[in-house]
Amino acid sequence: MHHQSIALKPTQFPFPVHLHPPNPIPSRLVFPPISFPLYPNTSITTATASAPRSVLSCRGFHIPVPNHPPRSLSSSNPTKTVDVATLGNLCVDIVLNVPQLPPPSPDARKAFMEQLSSSPPDKQYWEAGGNCNMAIAAARLGLNCITIGHVGKEIYGNFLLDVLHDEGIGMVGMSEETDPVSSPSAFYETLLCWVLVDPSQKHGFCSRADFSKEPAFSWMSTLSEEVKSGIVRSRILFCNGYDFDEFSPGVIMSAVDYAVEVGTSVFFDPGPRGKGLIRGTAEEQKALRHFLSMSDVLLLTSDEAESLTGMANPILAGQELLRKGVRTKWVVVKMGSKGSILITASSITSAPAFKVKVVDTVGCGDSFVAAIAFGFIHNIPSVTTLAFANAVGAATAMGCGAGRNVATLKQIVELLEAPDINEDDQFWNELLGEHADSKEVTVLSKVVVNGNNGRINHVTLQKVVSELLPQLKSSQLEGKLSS
């Protein structure tokens, strides 16, 4: 689960037993592998985690244990005491150097994974993965977060719970009474994602979910009262496509339906898994349609939006998703180094990406989503929300990896104090121009644009930053941010 498979030249198996961790990169790779490295201190632009990375791009890491800013409780509904709940996709990532990557043969790859699992590496090479990334990023923005999911009662599960506790994130366990005699103990263990790096810096992945046609936690069939209580208390329930690797489509749909019933907004990011769900089982296709219809906010890359709608133009794709949605209010399209777009029924908002020196793009997309949730909860204007999300994603890209390595608010403030964006006037004019007469169009710009430019409203970066910084700096002055 949580990855893309790699086709490699056949290699001899079994492999040598000498496994050793690389220079620490305790993070999870969520993008397909590439044949070129992304080196540190390469000046490019980024808005979200849309580009692949080299596993060995970071030479070291520092994990702060932050003291978070005050929790957000901005709601007239007294039952909504939690800002964001994430559903499922809780795993531990382990990065290791190996002499050779496992071959594509399922049996050989499974045997290799079992060999890896027989001797856990040192904890310094473990990192919280999956939806922990988004929860940690949101918590560091001051949002009150919980994770809903399953972790086992072994060393990896304890590690994950400790990380969440240290980050100030609550945990609601998903469990169900089962027959321990008839169910293998592995069904209840914390999910691991082995991130494997060979001497040439190619990388591959191993997870037990790769070798089963059933979801990892297929034994779950209902939502417990604890899970329902967690959803009731939350303003946002965040789900992504990897939930389908853990839970049955029926369980996932029941969580969405319950959220709608109790007034909790649903955020859905199909991710790379979305393309597979389009061609999945009848139940998976039904659940995907249900998500696209019932979610309040959809978050996709431009490629994912095209795969779901058949439309290459991201604005037209977003408008199509809005048209088909029953509850959809926002469609947010992440466009990598170009920036991002937020589409509503009456408006289109665009924000170019921030220019930063990228070290590692893992976790940027999760950080971006956390900032979108922040703007949604606090009713921040669309252009400010997009600019903030781009900045949060870019700040994470300047560090090493995801999990506990996503950007702190202090790092985000530092980026916003000296911001620079990658304006591409020709690109945005061509993309937005045909919609200027039919929709309210807003564009983030470096400078004020003189004269009337149709219905396109230009908002300066300086104005957006001046609105964001006082609120963010107030937390710093209270001494509640990590160093």
Side-chain angles (χ1 to χ4, degrees):
M1 66 179 294
H2 315 295
H3 61 267
Q4 300 290 322
S5 299
I6 307 172
L8 304 167
K9 293 182 179 179
T11 53
Q12 187 176 359
F13 190 87
F15 291 92
V17 296
H18 305 292
L19 306 174
H20 55 285
N23 292 322
I25 313 291
S27 58
R28 169 171 167 262
L29 290 102
V30 293
F31 297 101
I34 55 176
S35 58
F36 57 91
L38 182 61
Y39 294 100
N41 301 324
T42 299
S43 180
I44 65 173
T45 56
T46 184
T48 65
S50 61
R53 64 183 275 263
S54 167
V55 179
L56 300 183
S57 61
C58 300
R59 296 301 177 186
F61 66 96
H62 169 66
I63 298 175
V65 180
N67 295 311
H68 296 295
R71 296 306 189 192
S72 168
L73 294 175
S74 56
S75 174
S76 59
N77 187 341
T79 66
K80 301 297 184 184
T81 57
V82 173
D83 290 311
V84 177
T86 64
L87 179 68
N89 191 210
L90 303 179
C91 65
V92 174
D93 295 338
I94 301 175
V95 182
L96 291 176
N97 272 340
V98 294
Q100 294 172 306
L101 293 179
S105 165
D107 290 341
R109 291 176 63 239
K110 184 176 182 181
F112 189 55
M113 185 195 70
E114 291 173 349
Q115 181 186 10
L116 293 171
S117 304
S118 64
S119 180
D122 191 277
K123 280 189 177 181
Q124 66 177 313
Y125 307 108
W126 304 7
E127 189 49 75
N131 270 341
C132 296
N133 299 334
M134 190 275 189
I136 292 172
R140 292 183 178 183
L141 297 180
L143 298 180
N144 189 14
C145 301
I146 63 174
T147 56
I148 300 173
H150 176 76
V151 296
K153 298 179 180 180
E154 75 300 275
I155 55 174
Y156 296 111
N158 292 334
F159 164 78
L160 210 54
L161 293 176
D162 287 343
V163 170
L164 294 173
H165 177 268
D166 290 343
E167 293 287 341
I169 299 166
M171 171 69 190
V172 178
M174 294 183 71
S175 60
E176 190 171 282
E177 293 296 328
T178 56
D179 180 4
V181 176
S182 61
S183 300
S185 60
F187 285 7
Y188 306 97
E189 294 176 355
T190 306
L191 287 175
L192 304 181
C193 182
W194 298 88
V195 183
L196 309 175
V197 189
D198 73 4
S200 65
Q201 298 191 24
K202 292 181 180 179
H203 50 275
F205 309 85
C206 284
S207 169
R208 79 167 188 266
D210 299 341
F211 310 106
S212 174
K213 295 182 179 180
E214 296 295 324
F217 306 132
S218 57
W219 41 270
M220 293 186 191
S221 59
T222 59
L223 301 179
S224 68
E225 291 305 314
E226 291 79 7
V227 169
K228 289 182 177 179
S229 175
I231 295 174
V232 167
R233 292 185 287 123
S234 302
R235 296 184 181 88
I236 291 172
L237 178 67
F238 174 71
C239 312
N240 65 25
Y242 294 118
D243 288 339
F244 287 81
D245 291 333
E246 297 185 7
F247 311 121
S248 70
V251 168
I252 299 171
M253 284 194 293
S254 66
V256 172
D257 289 340
Y258 190 72
V260 171
E261 178 184 339
V262 299
T264 296
S265 298
V266 178
F267 277 43
F268 180 55
D269 186 344
R273 189 71 171 82
K275 294 181 180 180
L277 295 174
I278 296 173
R279 301 181 297 273
T281 66
E283 292 79 9
E284 288 176 335
Q285 294 181 37
K286 178 181 178 182
L288 176 62
R289 291 194 298 270
H290 197 64
F291 259 121
L292 297 177
S293 175
M294 303 305 292
S295 295
D296 296 82
V297 177
L298 296 174
L299 305 112
L300 319 92
T301 66
S302 54
D303 288 343
E304 291 160 3
E306 180 179 359
S307 69
L308 291 174
T309 64
M311 298 179 177
N313 184 304
I315 294 176
L316 295 180
Q319 291 173 339
E320 176 69 5
L321 291 168
L322 282 169
R323 186 181 68 80
K324 290 185 175 180
V326 174
R327 295 169 45 86
T328 312
K329 301 174 179 65
W330 291 3
V331 175
V332 182
V333 182
K334 300 171 283 185
M335 304 183 66
S337 62
K338 294 296 185 183
S340 54
I341 304 174
L342 194 159
I343 305 158
T344 72
S346 60
S347 67
I348 302 166
T349 304
S350 69
F354 281 78
K355 289 182 179 179
V356 297
K357 292 182 178 180
V358 172
V359 175
D360 188 350
T361 61
V362 172
C364 299
D366 300 304
S367 300
F368 178 94
V369 172
I372 293 292
F374 184 95
F376 185 87
I377 288 171
H378 292 289
N379 294 314
I380 295 175
S382 296
V383 67
T384 306
T385 295
L386 269 192
F388 184 45
N390 287 355
V392 174
T396 290
M398 296 169 69
C400 280
R404 293 165 293 174
N405 299 298
V406 300
T408 64
L409 193 51
K410 180 176 184 293
Q411 294 166 327
I412 297 163
V413 168
E414 290 173 351
L415 174 62
L416 289 173
E417 286 178 329
D420 190 12
I421 56 176
N422 178 40
E423 284 192 306
D424 186 339
D425 292 338
Q426 181 178 352
F427 172 80
W428 290 113
N429 288 338
E430 291 177 357
L431 185 62
L432 299 170
E434 61 185 278
H435 303 279
D437 293 332
S438 58
K439 300 287 182 181
E440 178 185 339
V441 178
T442 302
V443 179
L444 180 69
S445 302
K446 285 184 182 179
V447 296
V448 176
V449 177
N450 296 322
N452 183 18
N453 189 7
R455 294 186 60 189
I456 297 181
N457 176 34
H458 289 265
V459 177
T460 65
L461 177 61
Q462 181 181 3
K463 179 178 185 298
V464 166
V465 169
S466 67
E467 293 172 352
L468 280 171
L469 277 179
Q471 181 177 358
L472 302 181
K473 283 187 173 181
S474 66
S475 297
Q476 284 184 293
L477 294 174
E478 293 176 14
K480 298 193 175 184
L481 286 178
S482 62
S483 59

